[in-house]
Amino acid sequence: MIKRLFDWLRQPLGLIAVGITLLAVFSVAAYGISLTQQAPEQPVQFPHQTHVAFGIQCLYCHPGAAKGPSAGIPAQAKCWACHNQIAKTETSLLLAPLKQAVISGKPLEWVPVAQVPDFVQFNHRAHIAAGQNCENCHGDMSKQNVAENPQVFNMGFCLDCHKQVAGDDHEKLVKLVDCGTCHY
Amino acid sequence: MIRPEEIKMSAEETGKWGMVMDQDICTGCQACVVACAMENNITFVGEEDSGYGRSMHWIRIERFWEGEYPEVKMTPNQPMLCQQCGSATCEPVCPAFATVHSQAEQLNLQVYNRCVGTRYCANNCPYQVRSFNWRDYERPEPLSNQFNPDVTVRRRGVMEKCTFCIQRIHKAQDKAKSEGREVVDGEFTTACAQACPASAITFGRVDDPESLVSQLAKKRGHGIKHLEELGTLPNVTYFKGG
């Protein structure tokens, strides 16, 4: 039975069938991998590029970054403060969900893009206070539309920077590479 | 093999964070046990698993009896938690380096994402204060809102233990740093010490002679460090019969 199957696969028609199957498996795999590299679907296709171009600072919409662990994602009230003065808000299809959210009072459900696992305790404040800029981790937002994650936040990424910042300062190095600084 | 003179030499060096337990005023009310569970997302394992000895606590109240029944005399209650040993027996046995000594805070850490669950550390702990997540314990909807966001929610197959509320240490350090000052003694405390209605638990810097823990230890005189003879250099001091 198996020998007959192999014989059939060896003839030209069989070889073509094998080729098509391999091609199908490969393209499904490639599509699957490409899906993991895409930014998630957001309630509003928020163009970071446009907002940065207007000269709005990162900390205007994400003020938590300077104060505490979480940078925060703005509620619709913050968007509305500017957008209710902009005539285009009334007509734009892109902004319809924002208008809807303001009228209904239901928050926009933004999908966080830059995330660390639960076992990592990250604090934005300490990083901003140490003089790190947002783009060091989040990429240049003036070149991005809908937020994407420019790099994988793994431990190597964190530690490379921590070691570089500590330099020859032994006390600082001990603190910055200590497991308990991030994992508890 | 550690020689006695070596222990004496290293025993002179103190750790950073320490605790003082006053067994004379401890009423054994278990408030610390509850506060610890709330602060550190410790799960309630239920009756059946508890029967198998799988109950999870980072602090427990030990009580002993003296004499034969019915003429028993209860000894003072003894809150037992991780002693944050300076030379911990749990650390060298971990094959995954999941339990390591923090050089910065002088604490014994448990790195949950490294732990592979061999349970070797718990077997080697002379104080029996480590607990193991035998299962993923579900928390239905309203209960899931009580999780402390500053502490990892551990999953099945991971060892855990008292951290001296390292999240509070970091929070206080972060606050002090943002205000450009040092952490003040008594500015923060652990969940168990905060909850203790009798103030039997005191937490602070043992390397600072001016701190409340150092002052209390000095005032009460000779304290006991449990199983000190093993050379573990515990950072929790017990006082009784003062």
Side-chain angles (χ1 to χ4, degrees):
Chain A
M1 176 67 197
I2 292 170
K3 194 178 177 300
R4 266 175 63 194
L5 185 73
F6 272 102
D7 283 344
W8 184 82
L9 284 175
R10 274 207 202 92
Q11 52 140 341
L13 199 69
L15 285 175
I16 291 168
V18 169
I20 289 172
T21 314
L22 281 177
L23 205 67
V25 168
F26 177 76
S27 35
V28 165
Y31 176 67
I33 291 168
S34 75
L35 274 186
T36 65
Q37 301 303 309
Q38 281 169 16
E41 189 75 26
Q42 300 285 357
V44 178
Q45 295 298 303
F46 180 85
H48 273 92
Q49 199 177 17
T50 317
H51 289 78
V52 175
F54 283 137
I56 302 167
Q57 298 292 313
C58 305
L59 285 176
Y60 181 75
C61 296
H62 307 286
K67 294 176 198 156
S70 170
I73 299 173
Q76 65 264 32
K78 190 155 248 171
C79 309
W80 201 243
C82 294
H83 270 280
N84 71 347
Q85 303 167 39
I86 300 168
K88 210 179 164 187
T89 310
E90 287 296 319
T91 53
S92 172
L93 275 177
L94 199 69
L95 286 161
L98 172 66
K99 213 180 138 193
Q100 196 61 41
V102 171
I103 292 165
S104 66
K106 280 192 189 134
L108 288 166
E109 288 179 11
W110 298 106
V111 186
V113 172
Q115 279 177 307
V116 286
D118 185 38
F119 50 77
V120 180
Q121 310 292 336
F122 179 80
N123 190 344
H124 270 97
R125 195 210 68 82
H127 291 82
I128 299 286
Q132 293 295 320
N133 285 327
C134 306
E135 62 262 31
N136 294 3
C137 301
H138 297 289
D140 192 351
M141 278 297 165
S142 67
K143 293 194 177 69
Q144 278 184 44
N145 263 324
V146 180
E148 288 171 31
N149 210 14
Q151 55 238 321
V152 182
F153 291 135
N154 55 21
M155 208 165 104
F157 173 74
C158 298
L159 276 181
D160 279 349
C161 192
H162 274 202
K163 279 181 183 161
Q164 201 188 331
V165 165
D168 295 332
D169 189 344
H170 182 71
E171 201 183 325
K172 206 170 176 183
L173 186 71
V174 162
K175 178 76 186 164
L176 285 180
V177 302
D178 197 84
C179 302
T181 303
C182 308
H183 302 294
Y184 47 85
Chain B
M1 185 69 195
I2 305 169
R3 294 190 303 276
E5 59 266 30
E6 280 179 29
I7 295 171
K8 198 167 172 258
M9 265 181 73
S10 47
E12 282 163 11
E13 300 165 14
T14 50
K16 193 173 173 183
W17 302 99
M19 217 174 244
V20 163
M21 299 280 184
D22 197 332
Q23 287 179 256
D24 291 336
I25 52 178
C26 173
T27 59
C29 70
Q30 313 267 350
C32 51
V33 178
V34 176
C36 177
M38 296 297 104
E39 171 75 16
N40 293 302
N41 302 337
I42 303 169
T43 46
F44 175 71
V45 300
E47 195 182 334
E48 199 190 337
D49 273 357
S50 205
Y52 285 115
R54 295 172 179 177
S55 57
M56 289 167 69
H57 299 291
W58 288 7
I59 182 170
R60 60 172 191 266
I61 306 287
E62 290 184 340
R63 51 177 199 172
F64 304 98
W65 283 272
E66 277 171 9
E68 285 278 312
Y69 182 82
E71 280 89 37
V72 287
K73 195 185 126 208
M74 216 175 103
T75 61
N77 296 299
Q78 179 175 292
M80 181 53 75
L81 73 167
C82 176
Q83 310 285 303
Q84 305 289 351
C85 308
S87 169
T89 48
C90 53
E91 286 166 8
V93 296
C94 181
F97 298 101
T99 175
V100 286
H101 205 75
S102 164
Q103 295 302 315
E105 302 302 334
Q106 297 297 322
L107 296 174
N108 302 104
L109 302 170
Q110 180 68 30
V111 185
Y112 307 123
N113 45 322
R114 256 192 206 168
C115 179
V116 294
T118 64
R119 314 198 299 281
Y120 202 163
C121 53
N123 292 330
N124 219 34
C125 174
Y127 307 100
Q128 292 296 303
V129 289
R130 288 172 161 267
S131 42
F132 186 68
N133 287 272
W134 287 91
R135 299 174 200 280
D136 276 326
Y137 296 97
E138 289 296 319
R139 291 212 199 179
E141 180 35 53
L143 290 175
S144 60
N145 293 323
Q146 70 166 31
F147 280 133
N148 183 353
D150 298 335
V151 180
T152 308
V153 180
R154 279 84 53 187
R155 52 176 291 180
R156 187 180 70 163
V158 169
M159 188 61 72
E160 58 182 61
K161 64 157 199 88
C162 166
T163 59
F164 263 10
C165 285
I166 193 170
Q167 69 277 9
R168 292 188 176 206
I169 297 176
H170 282 306
K171 215 170 203 173
Q173 283 173 343
D174 188 58
K175 188 164 178 278
K177 211 169 176 186
S178 71
E179 291 165 7
R181 58 177 173 83
E182 291 289 305
V183 178
V184 187
D185 183 49
E187 180 183 342
F188 76 103
T189 187
T190 58
C192 53
Q194 190 186 3
C196 183
S199 305
I201 307 174
T202 317
F203 173 79
R205 290 285 289 264
V206 284
D207 56 348
D208 173 15
E210 297 301 311
S211 70
L212 188 59
V213 269
S214 306
Q215 294 290 327
L216 271 176
K218 212 165 73 196
K219 206 174 110 193
R220 288 298 304 264
H222 192 69
I224 299 160
K225 289 192 173 180
H226 283 296
L227 302 175
E228 203 179 13
E229 64 275 17
L230 298 177
T232 52
L233 310 177
N235 272 320
V236 183
T237 315
Y238 290 79
F239 292 100
K240 64 177 170 184

